[in-house]
């Protein structure tokens, strides 16, 4: 190999390292941006704790003197409610609205000609926000919930490892759905209704509001072949001990499968959007 070819190879490798470092910078910048508005997340701890409290007393009234409902004991339901709401604090983001705003104000055209992948940048920004929420909202909020409500933490290390791994995939899958919803603005021009519908579907059918086992059998069967359960219900089932041992890695496999499947429509919409590039107001 000639000196020129070697120089080209090294230059290419250096460029890839610089680009990879730039992607990680997006995580850092979003984290620092959220840190500037951290007072919002102190109030968020209160709001999420109130949500847990409302659900706790609601389910306590529903249980009455009963031992279990839908396979959940009273203690498991309390733990499931607490960890599900606090997990939402990590995986929740507004990537769909950010992408829609970029399309609406025309800035998407500038983003597309820059030397990076727009969708990957958005995912990295969402991860930076998620890391901030994990440290500043989820962990403190969970500690408050443990002090106020009878939350039972898992004792098995495999449950903790499985849950934290699944929590990351919850973020990935929820972010993929958000990116797909945001990119739909290229094709429907105004996707406000789509974004609202998506948020309701995720909160309801992921098991955040009601565990999937409490849905009618036919609906629960349908939800088992949709990606929503992989966001909240499956990680919550691991944390509460309803899924143990080898079963943890089986449900993690479900998340990995949905992550891979959702890559297909997300990448297709991104490529179609680059070809279309119809910008409202641009």
């Amino acid at each position: 190999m000639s000196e020129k070819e070697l120089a080209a190879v090294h230059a290419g490798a250096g460029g890839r390292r610089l680009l990879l470092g730039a992607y990680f910078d997006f995580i850092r910048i979003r984290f620092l941006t959220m840190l500037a508005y951290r007072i919002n997340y102190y109030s968020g701890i209160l709001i999420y704790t109130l949500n847990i409290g409302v659900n706790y007393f609601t389910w306590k009234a529903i249980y009455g003197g009963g031992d279990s409902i839908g396979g959940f004991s009273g203690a498991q339901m309390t733990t499931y409610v607490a960890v599900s709401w606090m997990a939402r604090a990590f995986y929740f983001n507004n990537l769909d609205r950010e992408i829609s705003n970029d399309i609406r104000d025309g800035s998407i055209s500038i983003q597309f000609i820059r030397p990076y992948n727009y969708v990957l940048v958005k995912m990295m920004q969402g991860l930076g926000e998620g890391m901030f929420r994990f440290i500043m909202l989820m962990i403190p909020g969970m500690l408050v919930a443990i002090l106020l409500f009878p939350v039972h933490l898992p004792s098995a290390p495999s449950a903790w490892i499985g849950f934290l791994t699944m929590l990351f995939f919850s973020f990935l899958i929820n972010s993929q759905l958000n990116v797909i919803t945001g990119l739909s603005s290229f094709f429907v021009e105004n996707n406000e209704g789509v974004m609202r519908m998506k948020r309701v579907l995720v909160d309801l059918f992921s098991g955040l509001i009601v565990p999937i086992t409490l849905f009618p059998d036919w609906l629960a069967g349908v939800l088992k072949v949709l990606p929503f359960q992989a966001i909240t219900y499956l990680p919550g089932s691991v944390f509460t001990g309803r899924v143990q041992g080898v079963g943890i890695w089986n449900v993690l496999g479900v998340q990995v499968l949905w992550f891979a499947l959702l890559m297909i429509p997300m990448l297709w919409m991104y490529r179609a959007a680059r070809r279309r590039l119809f910008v409202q107001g641009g």
Side-chain angles (χ1 to χ4, degrees):
M1 185 178 289
S2 67
E3 291 183 2
K4 289 184 177 180
E5 290 174 330
L6 283 172
V9 169
H10 288 307
R16 285 192 293 271
R17 285 196 295 270
L18 286 173
L19 185 58
L20 183 61
Y23 284 123
F24 284 107
D25 280 341
F26 283 110
I27 299 177
R28 180 180 60 83
I29 292 170
R30 179 58 66 93
F31 185 96
L32 294 176
T33 301
M34 303 304 295
L35 192 62
Y37 300 98
R38 57 187 177 275
I39 189 64
N40 293 336
Y41 290 88
Y42 296 146
S43 62
I45 294 173
L46 176 61
I47 293 171
Y48 273 78
T49 303
L50 289 174
N51 281 326
I52 293 171
V54 169
N55 280 274
Y56 167 70
F57 289 111
T58 300
W59 284 110
K60 187 175 181 180
I62 292 173
Y63 271 81
D67 294 330
S68 67
I69 297 177
F72 281 86
S73 67
Q76 284 181 325
M77 184 62 77
T78 300
T79 303
Y80 177 86
V81 167
V83 75
S84 295
W85 276 99
M86 286 306 165
R88 184 182 186 271
F90 169 69
Y91 67 69
F92 177 85
N93 57 59
N94 285 307
L95 294 184
D96 50 353
R97 190 167 299 279
E98 291 180 19
I99 294 172
S100 296
N101 289 339
D102 286 346
I103 296 171
R104 189 171 295 112
D105 63 22
S107 62
I108 191 74
S109 59
I110 304 299
Q111 300 284 350
F112 274 4
I113 64 175
R114 288 178 176 169
Y116 51 64
N117 185 289
Y118 175 76
V119 169
L120 184 55
V121 166
K122 285 301 178 185
M123 294 287 284
M124 290 296 185
Q125 289 175 338
L127 181 57
E129 180 177 345
M131 291 172 62
F132 177 85
R133 286 170 166 267
F134 182 83
I135 296 171
M136 302 298 292
L137 205 166
M138 181 178 172
I139 293 178
M142 196 66 187
L143 292 175
V144 172
I146 291 171
L147 292 174
L148 296 178
F149 309 107
V151 176
H152 294 175
L153 301 179
S155 56
S158 59
W160 282 104
I161 296 171
F163 171 74
L164 292 175
T165 305
M166 295 182 72
L167 184 62
F168 178 66
F169 276 96
S170 294
F171 159 78
L172 291 176
I173 294 170
N174 184 66
S175 296
Q176 287 176 309
L177 293 175
N178 283 347
V179 169
I180 291 171
T181 304
L183 290 175
S184 70
S185 187
F186 270 108
F187 308 97
V188 298
E189 298 186 13
N190 187 340
N191 68 341
E192 184 68 31
V194 177
M195 288 190 293
R196 292 183 180 182
M197 181 180 68
K198 183 271 307 175
R199 186 163 298 180
V200 171
L201 290 177
V202 170
D203 285 349
L204 180 60
F205 291 154
S206 69
L208 175 67
I209 299 174
V210 179
I212 291 177
T213 54
L214 299 186
F215 284 98
D217 291 340
W218 66 269
L219 182 54
V222 171
L223 294 180
K224 288 180 180 178
V225 295
L226 295 176
F228 304 116
Q229 65 164 344
I231 298 175
T232 302
Y233 177 72
L234 295 182
S237 296
V238 169
F239 194 88
T240 56
R242 286 172 50 81
V243 176
Q244 301 179 7
V246 178
I248 295 175
W249 311 115
N250 291 336
V251 295
L252 176 59
V254 174
Q255 284 189 310
V256 174
L257 176 62
W258 275 114
F259 170 70
L261 290 176
L262 287 173
M263 288 290 291
I264 299 172
M266 185 176 72
L267 292 177
W268 177 85
M269 291 186 72
Y270 176 60
R271 289 172 182 171
R274 288 180 65 89
R275 291 193 298 267
R276 184 180 179 91
L277 197 59
F278 169 72
V279 181
Q280 303 175 49

